[in-house]
Amino acid sequence: MEEEKVTGRHGERPVSRVRAVLEKYRVLQRLLLLFALLGTCMVIGDGVLTPAVSVFSAVSGLELSMEKEQHKYIELPVACAILVCLFALQHYGTHKVGFLFAPIVCIWLLCISAIGLYNIIHWDHHVYRALSPYYMYQFLKKTQTGGWMSLGGILLCVTGSEAMYADLGHFSQLSIQIAFISVVYPALVLAYMGQAAFISQHHNFESSYHIGFYVSVPESLRWPVLVIAILAAVVGSQAIITGTFSIIKQCSSLNCFPGVKIVHTSSTVHGQIYIPEINWMLMVLCLAVTIGFRDTKHLANAQGLAVITVMLVTTCLMSLVIVLCWNKSIFLAIGFLLFFGTIEVLYFSASLVKFHEGAWVPVTLSFIFMVVMCVWHYGTIKKYEFDVQNKVSVNWLLNLGPSLGIVRVRGIGLIHTELMSGIPAIFSHFVTNLPAFHQVLVFLCVKSVPVPHVHPEERFLVGRIGPKEYRLYRVIVRYGYRDVQKDDLEFEKELVSNIAEFIRSTGECEKNGFVEDTDKPSDKLSPISTGIPLWEEDGDLNASASPHKEIDPQNIAPKRKKARFVIPKSAQVDSEVRRELQELMDAREAGMSFILGHSYMKAKSGSSFIKRIVVNFFYEFLRKNSRGPSYAANIPHASTLEVGMVYQV
């Protein structure tokens, strides 16, 4: 039956057969993952090279605007200073500095199109014939090997267009397509045609000059154009930088990149983010390649290979999207792959020839990022498999009896876990080695959802683990990416009041006849719209005096807050619910302890040498130097208990 499903029955759609083959062979899945990671790493490499190439190329206009002895000492410092300023402004977010981008881009496009149109009219108005693909064929036929090798440089004419579509977090797909077709593309065509018209009439250049854009600019306009070009280079670099942020965030969400701090800079657009660690890493690498090469030719070769690799990987993956996601014919996908893939392979081979002339940089960067991402993904998968295999079931808990087989001490134990069901292995590890726990246990799972704000009535999901007498609760707290997490005291008060409301509401349901079998394991959670108000008063540690007793300022240390739930008078609360609420109040007064699991990965004995190196050294190094969960920063250190556990994988 399984074989029939894979090979396909008569009349089965090709989509099902392709999907079945990918699901059956794990080797194909791993190759597909590596191929996607290769494209991702090249995008990150492009995020390093594009700002360096754009800024340094713009600054290179000083070569024609200054004396030869002066520009050599000014180009590099100016380029480095602009790059530092560019990355230093990233933390403000595009929505704050973006109001400058549109005028700069519009002025730049108008400038290059006007200069191109001037050169076409003034030097060679017949250059429009170059738009015909016939001349491309004649060029390759005449130059042969030399023309093929020049494709690596010709590729730079389209670099930057892929960064526009990487910036979809700021603009919609339709708006970018309209802008590119109606404004950007015509302006670029006029600019390149103008340069071609100028060069067709000026074959002899001084050998020390670089034949580029600034040669075709009228001398009286070079300084204004230089300023506009530098500003446009900054704007163009912004797109690929934010695109790098976005793709790293997606990789981190898919457990393919170590944890990083993600700052959302907009309350309305989810895609506008800022990652401090990646920002400064990109800045250092940009400065390194700029200072190391000091030449636009080698930087352009490196960028060309990175861009064409991203395009080739995108084309291959797009053919799978056509079949698997769009449910189109497999022949359409093959035709798409052959048509665009053949062109891109031609450019890719031409760029790869220049490996020793700068193209080795994106290969080296991609290799480093690929190793980091593969090691992190492998270690995360192994850790998840260990968690699933060693997850404690509720049945194990039921077999311990109401006392859990341990001593119950006063207070609330708040156990942070990533699991939304079941009991984490860290709990059984703790109970096995230290047979004492709090009278109330709360398994807390904090989740970040892709919306700006979560309404307070939708923030808490509360459920019960096991029978009532166990006093075990599961709470899932959801935060939006723009929500500010409350401090420990406010969060503690809100958490307890929501658990109290859950206890009261479930008690009313049982009283009204909606009774569930609490002896059976259940992970059902209930949304709590409004918690029971919690009224606090100051009181002595061992006294039951009046709440209006005067407080001695010299004796604040032994004081603590007494809690009392303000239950509506209309609510009918039976004795069992009141007893559970009273026990929760007593535990709240005794204090709350935050219990965090701290896992260490270690390869099993008998594992291969490569696995021991990857798990014991590389993964552990990345884990120790990556960001932990965001909620850990708000936990008071005085009430925190870390439970260490070694994962044998």
Side-chain angles (χ1 to χ4, degrees), residues 377-393 417-419 421-430 597-605 607 611 615 619-620 643-649:
H377 180 71
Y378 176 79
T380 304
I381 291 297
K382 290 298 180 182
K383 182 177 181 296
Y384 175 77
E385 291 176 353
F386 183 90
D387 284 332
V388 172
Q389 294 172 0
N390 295 272
K391 182 173 64 173
V392 179
S393 64
T417 176
E418 296 295 328
L419 297 177
S421 62
I423 299 174
I426 201 72
F427 176 75
S428 62
H429 178 73
F430 189 93
H598 198 74
S599 60
Y600 299 89
M601 294 276 288
K602 187 176 181 181
K604 294 180 180 178
S605 58
S607 301
K611 182 178 180 179
V615 174
Y619 179 79
E620 278 298 300
V643 181
M645 185 175 180
V646 178
Y647 283 25
Q648 297 282 347
V649 298

Side-chain angles (χ1 to χ4, degrees), residues 99-114:
F99 69 94
L100 294 174
F101 288 179
I104 291 173
V105 172
C106 291
I107 293 173
W108 170 247
L109 293 176
L110 180 63
C111 175
I112 62 175
S113 58

Side-chain angles (χ1 to χ4, degrees), residues 288-534:
V289 296
T290 303
I291 297 173
F293 283 124
R294 305 185 185 184
D295 180 44
T296 54
K297 178 182 177 181
H298 291 81
L299 287 172
N301 292 335
Q303 185 198 17
L305 181 60
V307 169
I308 193 59
T309 305
V310 173
M311 291 182 176
L312 185 59
V313 171
T314 303
T315 299
C316 296
L317 296 179
M318 191 65 195
S319 62
L320 288 177
V321 171
I322 292 174
V323 176
L324 299 179
C325 299
W326 294 355
N327 295 325
K328 300 295 183 181
S329 171
I330 191 172
F331 297 104
L332 177 63
I334 294 175
F336 173 86
L337 180 61
L338 290 178
F339 179 76
F340 290 100
T342 302
I343 299 174
E344 291 166 354
V345 166
L346 192 64
Y347 281 97
F348 176 78
S349 59
S351 300
L352 202 59
V353 170
K354 300 181 180 180
F355 183 84
H356 297 288
E357 300 179 11
W360 58 270
V361 173
V363 176
T364 304
L365 291 175
S366 298
F367 176 77
I368 296 174
F369 284 112
M370 178 76 79
V371 170
V372 170
M373 297 172 77
C374 289
V375 168
W376 184 261
H377 180 71
Y378 176 79
T380 304
I381 291 297
K382 290 298 180 182
K383 182 177 181 296
Y384 175 77
E385 291 176 353
F386 183 90
D387 284 332
V388 172
Q389 294 172 0
N390 295 272
K391 182 173 64 173
V392 179
S393 64
V394 181
N395 290 326
W396 173 84
L397 194 64
L398 297 176
N399 293 331
L400 294 178
S403 65
L404 297 183
I406 56 177
V407 177
R408 305 296 292 270
V409 298
R410 296 189 64 196
I412 298 177
L414 198 63
I415 304 174
H416 285 271
T417 176
E418 296 295 328
L419 297 177
M420 299 178 65
S421 62
I423 299 174
I426 201 72
F427 176 75
S428 62
H429 178 73
F430 189 93
V431 171
T432 303
N433 293 275
L434 184 63
F437 226 94
H438 300 83
Q439 65 186 109
V440 175
L441 295 178
V442 179
F443 293 92
L444 179 67
C445 181
V446 180
K447 290 294 181 182
S448 179
V449 294
V451 295
H453 299 282
V454 175
H455 297 291
E457 60 270 14
E458 299 176 354
R459 188 178 307 280
F460 284 86
L461 296 175
V462 184
R464 195 190 303 275
I465 301 178
K468 291 183 179 180
E469 59 268 19
Y470 283 64
R471 303 297 188 253
L472 297 180
Y473 308 96
R474 183 187 308 282
V475 179
I476 297 178
V477 186
R478 298 175 293 187
Y479 287 101
Y481 57 82
R482 294 289 288 177
D483 283 331
V484 178
Q485 298 187 17
K486 298 181 179 180
D487 57 21
D488 56 299
L489 294 178
E490 288 296 324
F491 177 77
E492 177 183 339
K493 182 178 179 180
E494 191 173 359
L495 175 68
V496 173
S497 64
N498 279 275
I499 295 176
E501 172 59 25
F502 168 77
I503 295 172
R504 188 189 67 81
S505 60
T506 53
E508 286 187 356
C509 291
E510 292 176 0
K511 185 177 181 180
N512 294 330
F514 301 100
V515 183
E516 294 185 359
D517 189 0
T518 56
D519 293 333
K520 293 184 178 180
S522 177
D523 286 317
K524 183 178 180 180
L525 301 174
S526 302
I528 305 299
S529 58
T530 305
I532 295 181
L534 185 64

Side-chain angles (χ1 to χ4, degrees), residues 2-66:
E2 186 68 24
E3 169 130 39
E4 183 181 340
K5 178 182 178 183
V6 173
T7 57
R9 297 179 296 272
H10 179 69
E12 187 179 8
R13 292 175 62 87
V15 177
S16 302
R17 293 198 295 269
V18 173
R19 182 178 288 108
V21 171
L22 289 175
E23 292 175 351
K24 179 180 179 181
Y25 297 101
R26 188 175 293 272
V27 176
L28 293 179
Q29 298 174 13
R30 292 176 179 174
L31 291 177
L32 187 61
L33 175 63
L34 290 176
F35 196 62
L37 291 181
L38 172 63
T40 302
C41 294
M42 281 295 181
V43 171
I44 301 174
D46 193 15
V48 174
L49 295 168
T50 295
V53 175
S54 302
V55 173
F56 198 81
S57 298
V59 175
S60 64
L62 295 172
E63 183 177 358
L64 298 177
S65 303
M66 300 181 65

